[in-house]
Amino acid sequence: MRALRDIAKRATVVTAALVVGLVASYAPSHAAEDTARTTVTDQPGAPGMMLRQFEDLTGQPVGDLDTVLAVDAGGRDLTADQLAALVAGEKVDGVTVVGAMPGGREILGTTMADLADGVYDGRGDSGTATALLFASSVPGGREWCLTMCMASGKSYWECIQSRRGDQTFTLDLGGDTTVGGMKAAFEKANGVAADGPYAVDTLTGDREPSAQEIETLLDGKDVDPLRRVASVAGPDAGWALGDIAEKSGVPYLKTRIHIFTLGLPILGKVVVVCVSHNDGKTWKCSARPWSGF
């Protein structure tokens, strides 16, 4: 992961991707090697104390608190995928989001009970949440932390934290951007030269893919009802993103998704998913290392 962070340096064209790379269950009985846990007594300042304890345990900064979610999962454990979906604002069956609160220094000085009702108001009455999710990120880096705290009795909260480097980065490009220009933008974002693109697949559908579906495409998997309508080896670097479908022999399509395969030193093969917006006037392209070939 350190090598990835050294290579994937931030550039001004890089925007925050709605991805939290989590791979482990947050159930206390299923802690993974990259997780840490602690118990905090509820009192004024408990959220801040909890995060500082994790910094002491891991020897790494927790970063800035971005969001706090109060959720009611009906007493059942949540998987990492479900937690990541909640943080991304998606619905999870059987889970109720009691409230979402923006992060900040002030919220670190309150009590867990205050946050459990989904509103940071200093009262904490009538709380229905069974868990609190703290999402934080390290400024200037690509590290994300997600901490889940569960009430244990009236005064104690058991917390477990997972840290992951965000290996997905996203660029916003104009419709006249060429294949070569897209490649150059990602080279600038990574600070290294890329090989390829080796190929480009064109997909179409009746709607734009969701963030979760883009992640599935980045994994090299198909998404229903998106259809793969063309595949071209070694696309011309001078092709504009908006012209690839026509150059590939596909008639006019309102929603187009192009999947490029490139190569980066150390990281190996990389998948780039570009989705058309505004009838092809703008494109949002996301990439991350993939070893599926």
Side-chain angles (χ1 to χ4, degrees), residues 36-40 49-51 53-54 57 147-149 157-161:
R37 69 177 72 203
T38 190
T39 300
V40 62
M49 295 177 189
M50 175 268 296
L51 293 177
Q53 287 179 22
F54 278 119
L57 284 170
T147 306
M148 181 176 183
C149 292
W157 289 73
E158 296 180 354
C159 304
I160 186 167
Q161 181 184 90

Side-chain angles (χ1 to χ4, degrees), residues 7 183-184 186-188 190-196 262-266 268:
I7 294 173
K183 173 185 173 182
F186 276 105
E187 287 176 331
K188 183 178 180 180
N190 281 279
V192 293
D195 297 323
L262 300 92
L264 288 176
I266 301 177

Side-chain angles (χ1 to χ4, degrees), residues 1 26 28 83 91 93 113 123 137 146 150 212 219 224 226 228 239 244 249 254 261 266 281:
M1 182 178 295
Y26 280 83
L83 294 177
K91 293 183 179 181
D93 290 342
R123 294 183 300 179
S137 56
L146 188 60
M150 294 151 287
Q212 185 173 357
D219 283 334
D224 186 53
L226 299 179
R228 200 173 300 260
W239 287 0
I244 289 177
K254 183 175 182 180
T261 57
I266 301 177
K281 294 179 182 178

